[in-house]
């Protein structure tokens, strides 16, 4: 399966992600979570990097929460090509990433990868509404990011 990641950056923040790194991460997640269950030759996901004002608008419009957040995900249904599965869209506020990492670019890049992985898992049907589902999601994020479990979950968001 080929995983395609389409990226748009509407944020004033730049150089906090690399498309190839996100594509490899998306491929790992899809390979681990979609193995044997999909006939799709191509899996597509879109990611929009934005600032707090934009993600707040989306959070208000789609979740009725009038506040900025770090990541949103929107699943998509259907595709004009049966060999292509469009997973959906991930929106990440780089402004939030910058603000909570005190200017440390390495931590900011790690945070972007964590939020992207988190969004990917949501697109594949995972949630963290209960302690049990939060544990599963945390373990999967640690696995796909190659980090210890405590580093795979934001406790301040």
């Amino acid at each position: 399966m080929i995983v395609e990641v389409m990226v748009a950056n509407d944020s004033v923040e730049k150089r906090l992600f690399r498309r190839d790194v996100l594509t490899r991460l998306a491929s790992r997640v899809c390979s681990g979570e979609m193995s044997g269950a999909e006939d799709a030759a191509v899996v597509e996901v879109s990611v929009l990097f934005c600032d707090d004002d934009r993600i707040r608008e989306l959070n208000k419009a789609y979740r009725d929460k009038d506040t900025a957040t770090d990541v949103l995900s929107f699943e998509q249904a259907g595709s004009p090509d049966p060999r292509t599965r469009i997973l959906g869209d991930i929106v990440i506020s780089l402004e939030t990433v910058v603000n909570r990492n005190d200017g440390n670019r390495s931590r900011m890049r790690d945070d972007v990868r964590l939020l992207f992985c988190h969004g990917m898992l949501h697109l594949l049907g995972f949630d963290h509404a209960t302690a049990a589902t939060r544990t599963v999601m945390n373990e999967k994020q640690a696995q796909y990011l190659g980090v210890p479990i405590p580093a795979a979950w934001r406790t301040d968001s």
Side-chain angles (χ1 to χ4, degrees):
M1 136 185 28
I2 297 169
V3 178
E4 296 179 354
V5 177
M6 281 71 69
V7 178
N9 187 358
D10 291 345
S11 172
V12 298
E13 301 297 333
K14 306 297 179 198
R15 295 183 194 53
L16 291 181
F17 66 89
R18 287 185 25 204
R19 181 190 315 256
D20 62 319
V21 171
L22 298 179
T23 299
R24 283 194 302 275
L25 177 54
S27 295
R28 278 195 309 274
V29 173
C30 288
S31 293
E33 301 305 323
M34 298 172 64
S35 60
E38 295 296 321
D39 294 327
V42 177
V43 175
E44 293 180 357
V45 63
S46 298
V47 61
L48 169 64
F49 293 103
C50 63
D51 293 319
D52 284 352
D53 287 345
R54 180 67 177 129
I55 206 163
R56 180 181 182 163
E57 290 171 8
L58 293 169
N59 206 19
K60 174 72 172 151
Y62 292 98
R63 298 178 65 227
D64 201 29
K65 295 185 178 190
D66 192 12
T67 184
T69 188
D70 50 7
V71 62
L72 294 170
S73 56
F74 301 96
E75 293 180 53
Q76 299 292 321
S79 170
D81 180 352
R83 294 181 35 84
T84 299
R85 177 170 175 196
I86 301 171
L87 285 183
D89 306 309
I90 298 169
V91 182
I92 297 172
S93 172
L94 292 181
E95 184 176 352
T96 294
V97 169
V98 168
N99 288 339
R100 75 173 168 212
N101 287 288
D102 300 322
N104 183 313
R105 299 209 49 95
S106 178
R107 285 198 331 244
M108 287 186 262
R109 288 184 188 103
D110 289 345
D111 205 12
V112 166
R113 286 189 294 276
L114 170 62
L115 295 172
F116 180 74
C117 184
H118 187 84
M120 285 293 300
L121 290 170
H122 275 306
L123 294 179
L124 290 166
F126 291 91
D127 70 46
H128 45 85
T130 67
T133 57
R134 196 168 30 257
T135 296
V136 169
M137 207 161 170
N138 191 15
E139 289 169 350
K140 289 188 176 292
Q141 286 175 183
Q143 172 190 347
Y144 294 123
L145 292 166
V147 299
I149 289 174
W153 193 265
R154 296 235 27 116
T155 58
D156 62 341
S157 56

